[in-house]
Amino acid sequence: MKIRAVILAAGQGTRMRSSLPKVLHPILGRPLIWYACEAARQATGTRSVVVIGHGAQQVREALGDTAEFVLQADQLGTGHAVQQAEAILRGKTDLVLVTYGDMPALTAKTLQQLIKTQISHTGPITMLTVVVDDPRGFGRVVRDGTGQVEGIVEEAQATPEQLKIKELNAGVYCFAAEWLWEALSRIPLSPKGEYYLTDLAGLAVSDGLSIQAVQILDQDETIGINTRIHLAEATAILHKRINQAWMLAGVTMIDPATTYIEPGVEIGQDTLIWPNTYLHGKTQVGEGCELGPNTIIRDTSIGNRCTVLASVLEGARLEDDVDVGPFGRLRKGAHLAEGVHMGNFGEVKNSYLGPGTKMGHFSYLGDTTIEGDVNIGAGTVTCNFDGEHKYPTEISKGAFIGSDTMLIAPVKVGEGGRTGAGAVVTHDVPPYTVVVGVPARQIRKIEKK
Ligand code: UD1
Ligand code: CA
């Protein structure tokens, strides 16, 4: 059975009071429409067709080739919106799942339930309903004496009796495709000048066909974003959902409320996260690590048994048993090999620190390659920028860089080389040689151990 999803996202979202299209407002680092696309992708196994209108170009760019797009130039209602997908879907799919771009908390599981119900019945529509006390302006689900769905009444058209109905239309449906395309053309124009998708329920009944309803119990799933208050509510729901999944997968969170983990992040078992820690983007964390408190990690890969305390890591890589912080800053291309220790107030950019290297106190390393087992004294700085160009620094195995050394790049320190405290190194340091002073001069050789 072929199935495709149509995601409605052409509306303006006036109540967001924003120059950004509503569905592009971010939740946990992704535009909120990404969640609807992802749930639909998981449920159908295919790319969705997104109906765009307001901010069409921006929405298209944000989703890229993860979706197909159809333009609804004038927003003439939800029925009209679905109709825009007919040209690319008619004859190509057996079922059509319809959902909204502004319902980020709806899960793939719920969509799958809708699809399963539609497959196991003969009627042309399966709809999602939710029973709540607060009607939120949603359409009411009208049932007959036997409990069969008879139709959907929009709030504006409802009788006082119908307004009391607590079962609401969530706006998510699975349709038999052929019936859908044909029936869409029969939707009458509403008094407001719109074509309501919800009129299909009445049309099915008058065709003598039955409508199935799947009642959702978790009303959080049906939250739709209309204002920034809803945006914050949905963020809280998804935030909690992600954190709970990680805790069930073996991650300890001292304070889940202040632990922020974006979708796409991976975390190994027995890792412990202290409060106020943020894991962004494509971050991967191994097993048995300890992160935070007060730590921000983005697009960084971290091995097993690492410790990161009160630090900011971006585009970095840590192998196993590395410790960073407090107050470390790793920038793009920082690669700390196994067992590296980076203490307080260090900054590393585009550099490799080989196994066992120690950099205990307030240093800056940029464009540097360190072979391993090197000691970087307090206050060491690689002076990698002359105002126009960046230059590399190379430090070989077992070197000892004295406190407050300035390494004027490009420069190399040979194996076992030493610099004295305060040295300003303008020339390469030969292996097993001590240099001191400003500019640094060789004063003696060291015996190779
Ligand atoms: C709709 C339903 C209502 C349901 C509610 C649930 C109809 C007529 N009513 O009402 O029964 O309870 O959703 O949230 O369907 N959109 C377009 N093009 C359009 C119009 C809308 O793409 O021409 C998109 C919007 O961007 C939005 C979604 O469809 O994502 C829903 O539209 P909206 O106007 O919010 O529908 P409601 O009036 O809330
Ligand atoms: Ca709405």
Side-chain angles (χ1 to χ4, degrees):
M1 186 84 70
K2 283 192 204 143
I3 167 134
R4 297 289 301 271
V6 176
I7 300 177
L8 308 190
Q12 185 161 21
T14 324
R15 284 182 286 162
M16 294 298 280
R17 297 184 172 275
S18 178
S19 56
L20 188 69
K22 173 168 87 174
V23 294
L24 295 189
H25 279 258
I27 293 182
L28 294 158
R30 313 256 178 163
L32 68 90
I33 193 173
W34 177 85
Y35 293 88
C37 289
E38 181 60 17
R41 187 190 64 76
Q42 283 177 27
T44 65
T46 59
R47 288 201 306 171
S48 301
V49 175
V50 178
V51 182
I52 49 179
H54 282 279
Q57 194 47 30
Q58 277 167 283
V59 177
R60 209 187 271 267
E61 277 165 23
L63 292 175
D65 58 10
T66 61
E68 278 186 74
F69 301 92
V70 286
L71 186 71
Q72 186 193 23
D74 295 311
Q75 280 76 56
L76 301 179
T78 45
H80 180 258
V82 174
Q83 210 168 22
Q84 308 310 304
E86 181 179 343
I88 50 174
L89 290 185
R90 191 160 194 170
K92 304 231 172 71
T93 183
D94 304 305
L95 298 179
V96 177
L97 187 70
V98 173
T99 166
Y100 297 163
D102 61 3
M103 287 176 71
L106 196 68
T107 62
K109 204 172 143 209
T110 297
L111 294 177
Q112 264 150 1
Q113 230 179 308
L114 222 55
I115 296 166
K116 239 170 69 188
T117 306
Q118 178 56 32
I119 289 173
S120 58
H121 285 84
T122 51
I125 306 178
T126 301
M127 61 182 293
L128 189 67
T129 73
V130 58
V131 178
V132 278
D133 282 329
D134 168 18
R136 313 182 239 183
F138 278 24
R140 310 295 202 273
V141 179
V142 182
R143 293 184 184 254
D144 67 15
T146 69
Q148 265 295 311
V149 175
E150 252 182 350
I152 305 165
V153 189
E154 290 307 294
E155 189 165 87
Q157 273 94 46
T159 63
E161 236 3 80
Q162 288 170 333
L163 283 175
K164 288 187 206 143
I165 297 174
K166 301 238 182 286
E167 186 178 22
L168 311 177
N169 171 31
V172 182
Y173 320 82
C174 187
F175 295 103
E178 269 318 300
W179 183 87
L180 170 70
W181 305 130
E182 181 278 322
L184 281 172
S185 64
R186 287 193 276 145
I187 295 178
L189 195 62
S190 79
K192 274 194 175 166
E194 289 192 13
Y195 297 93
Y196 292 157
L197 189 61
T198 44
D199 284 349
L200 291 181
L203 285 174
V205 170
S206 64
D207 286 353
L209 302 169
S210 69
I211 298 164
Q212 313 306 320
V214 169
Q215 247 188 42
I216 195 170
L217 299 173
D218 175 9
Q219 53 166 292
D220 277 359
E221 278 202 42
T222 62
I223 188 171
I225 313 294
N226 293 318
T227 67
R228 296 191 202 229
I229 293 174
H230 300 145
L231 184 68
E233 286 168 358
T235 301
I237 291 166
L238 292 166
H239 169 241
K240 190 170 166 191
R241 206 183 270 171
I242 289 176
N243 285 2
Q244 289 186 343
W246 283 120
M247 287 187 274
L248 290 174
V251 174
T252 296
M253 290 179 196
I254 303 299
D255 181 16
T258 64
T259 302
Y260 174 101
I261 300 170
E262 290 183 353
V265 169
E266 286 170 40
I267 313 169
Q269 205 171 299
D270 292 318
T271 282
L272 184 153
I273 306 180
W274 288 95
N276 203 28
T277 294
Y278 300 76
L279 306 181
H280 297 273
K282 289 195 181 68
T283 292
Q284 287 178 304
V285 180
E287 296 183 359
C289 294
E290 210 171 313
L291 309 177
N294 305 335
T295 289
I296 302 172
I297 302 175
R298 185 185 293 279
D299 299 330
T300 290
S301 125
I302 297 179
N304 299 320
R305 298 174 303 277
C306 292
T307 304
V308 180
L309 167 60
S311 292
V312 178
L313 281 51
E314 202 169 342
R317 175 171 166 211
L318 276 55
E319 294 185 28
D320 294 344
D321 302 296
V322 169
D323 82 283
V324 175
F327 318 117
R329 170 102 197 272
L330 296 184
R331 291 164 53 202
K332 201 163 176 241
H335 178 176
L336 276 49
E338 203 173 329
V340 165
H341 162 71
M342 177 174 163
N344 44 196
F345 306 108
E347 175 179 343
V348 175
K349 182 217 79 174
N350 186 36
S351 294
Y352 173 73
L353 276 62
T357 293
K358 307 228 173 331
M359 166 179 168
H361 329 270
F362 41 94
S363 288
Y364 169 64
L365 299 180
D367 309 308
T368 300
T369 307
I370 299 178
E371 225 181 311
D373 292 323
V374 165
N375 186 79
I376 303 290
T380 295
V381 172
T382 54
C383 309
N384 58 332
F385 186 49
D386 65 2
E388 276 181 47
H389 298 103
K390 301 260 169 85
Y391 300 97
T393 300
E394 283 175 45
I395 305 177
S396 297
K397 214 170 167 52
F400 182 97
I401 309 299
S403 294
D404 222 9
T405 295
M406 301 292 128
L407 296 157
I408 315 293
V411 72
K412 290 183 192 178
V413 178
E415 184 173 325
R418 285 180 87 99
T419 68
V424 175
V425 181
T426 54
H427 290 92
D428 291 356
V429 178
Y432 299 98
T433 303
V434 182
V435 302
V436 298
V438 181
R441 289 172 310 266
Q442 297 178 25
I443 53 163
R444 61 183 164 88
K445 289 278 180 194
I446 315 163
E447 218 172 287
K448 192 170 168 178
K449 274 180 215 139

